[in-house]
Amino acid sequence: MGMGTLYGIGVGPGDSGLLTVKGREILGRSQVICVPKSKTERESVALSVVKPYLAEDAVVEELLFPMSRDEAVLEAHWQEAAQAVAKLLEQYDSVAFLTIGDPLLYSTFGYLLKFLQQVAPQAPVEVVPGISSFNAAASLLRIPLVEQNERLAVVPLPVTEQEFLGLSQYVDTVVFLKVSAGFDELLDLLEASEFADEVYLVSRCGTGDEFWTNDPFAMRGQKIDYLSLLIAKRRKG
Amino acid sequence: MGMGTLYGIGVGPGDSGLLTVKGREILGRSQVICVPKSKTERESVALSVVKPYLAEDAVVEELLFPMSRDEAVLEAHWQEAAQAVAKLLEQYDSVAFLTIGDPLLYSTFGYLLKFLQQVAPQAPVEVVPGISSFNAAASLLRIPLVEQNERLAVVPLPVTEQEFLGLSQYVDTVVFLKVSAGFDELLDLLEASEFADEVYLVSRCGTGDEFWTNDPFAMRGQKIDYLSLLIAKRRKG
């Protein structure tokens, strides 16, 4: 008997309208919906985004992951998750695995894929891209991220002064992710650079309680939401 | 009388299924669809992507642009286009402006927005993000673009050796756009770097005649399709 297909689906930043037509269509006919979830979450954000589109009898499988920095702990959990998914693919034709944003840009789906290729190399996999948080943030702000021959960098924190000074010579726009860890230090770096004039902070983009400001420097010392990014553009001319 | 709303809609890389649910919904009720088009195209790619979703009586307005490197020529055309759009917004409630990929990542929509804000600053604008070509390419290849704390750079060609050597110290994955202009020179740069082992070329991603290879070095000397990008990843360990 052949195996079912695993669909890795990017659900976008948090707004149900930003799922793709293809993602919606696949979710509507998927018998099982796999959702990675940390212990601290009440409900998966990814699951809440797609709820309106799920088949009535769809089975939701939560894959629980520890918030661990220990690579070995994480790998053990991903291996277990891949085995669970492989088992589901023996039972069902269509298994969807949800990720916030895009499945291959800072997503856990890459891990699942790696381990699934080990435990079930014959399993058919299709990946459906999703809108990344920084594309959605630019739409919200209505500012071009990059134009013509400009260069873009995407940098999750932490970032050192040396690294920022080096990298910033070569790019026109920097998107910083995970900015809640080291926000004030990041503002210091930006303030001393050519990237101080045009800086935007966007939190929880695409959700009901999204927030943005073009003066993040005024927020020094405040607690920044975990789901925040910062866009900094080089001074022109 | 109030003005209609301009919707800047990213239609994704070229596959109708990769439009967002929100983009589809707005297109279905838009009375006018604006499409930027160069003289050499027979039909706009963006228009062909959304054709299945348009209202039957939707009016398509083609905005013709020269393929010019002369900034003044381009600006004059964009100013004219912004005036045309402003006029449409006086007549219609909902005017959609299409762009391939995302409207704020290397798109002409940024120009339109800038000039529209000059000629009709009161016009309401909503931007709907779209899937970028490199996210779609990663999905096609089923490889993570970046994971965990890795850094991503997006670099349209041309790129000099000095720039690549400098930038590449700070990033883990580089997406090169517009690679048909200087393909062999780019291969030379990569071959002499830590980015030679994992390199993918993707052409016309998301369309019927998409093509990809993980050995672009074998294509040296060949003509590369204009709609091509290259993903290069740093050697690990």
Side-chain angles (χ1 to χ4, degrees), chain B residues 113-169:
Chain B
L113 202 54
K114 189 174 82 178
F115 287 108
L116 185 70
Q117 278 156 356
Q118 286 167 18
V119 301
Q122 77 282 24
V125 176
E126 189 180 332
V127 188
V128 182
I131 302 287
S132 298
S133 56
F134 54 85
N135 292 294
S139 281
L140 174 68
L141 300 166
R142 296 201 294 272
I143 53 131
L145 274 173
V146 264
E147 292 179 294
Q148 294 184 307
N149 289 314
E150 290 179 350
R151 278 81 165 105
L152 172 73
V154 184
V155 176
L157 259 53
V159 60
T160 64
E161 181 175 1
Q162 192 195 2
E163 189 196 359
F164 175 67
L165 291 179
L167 178 64
S168 65
Q169 297 173 59

Side-chain angles (χ1 to χ4, degrees), chain A residues 15-22 24 53 71 102 104-107 110-111 113 125 127-132 135-136 138-139 142-159 162-163 166-167 170-171 178, chain B residues 15-22 24 53 71 102 104-107 110-111 113 125 127-132 135-136 138-139 142-159 162-163 166-167 170-171 178:
Chain A
D15 172 346
S16 300
L18 295 185
L19 180 69
T20 58
V21 169
K22 190 177 193 174
R24 177 182 179 162
Y53 308 133
E71 200 67 21
D102 180 82
L104 295 165
L105 195 83
Y106 302 116
S107 155
Y111 287 88
L113 203 53
V125 176
V127 187
V128 181
I131 302 287
S132 297
N135 291 295
S139 282
R142 297 200 293 272
I143 53 130
L145 274 173
V146 264
E147 293 179 293
Q148 293 184 306
N149 289 313
E150 290 178 351
R151 278 80 164 104
L152 173 73
V154 184
V155 176
L157 258 55
V159 59
Q162 194 196 359
E163 189 196 358
L167 177 64
Y170 300 101
V171 296
K178 302 188 196 169
Chain B
D15 171 347
S16 300
L18 295 185
L19 180 69
T20 59
V21 170
K22 190 179 193 172
R24 176 183 180 162
Y53 308 134
E71 199 68 22
D102 181 82
L104 295 165
L105 195 85
Y106 302 113
S107 155
Y111 285 89
L113 202 54
V125 176
V127 188
V128 182
I131 302 287
S132 298
N135 292 294
S139 281
R142 296 201 294 272
I143 53 131
L145 274 173
V146 264
E147 292 179 294
Q148 294 184 307
N149 289 314
E150 290 179 350
R151 278 81 165 105
L152 172 73
V154 184
V155 176
L157 259 53
V159 60
Q162 192 195 2
E163 189 196 359
L167 178 64
Y170 300 101
V171 297
K178 302 188 196 168

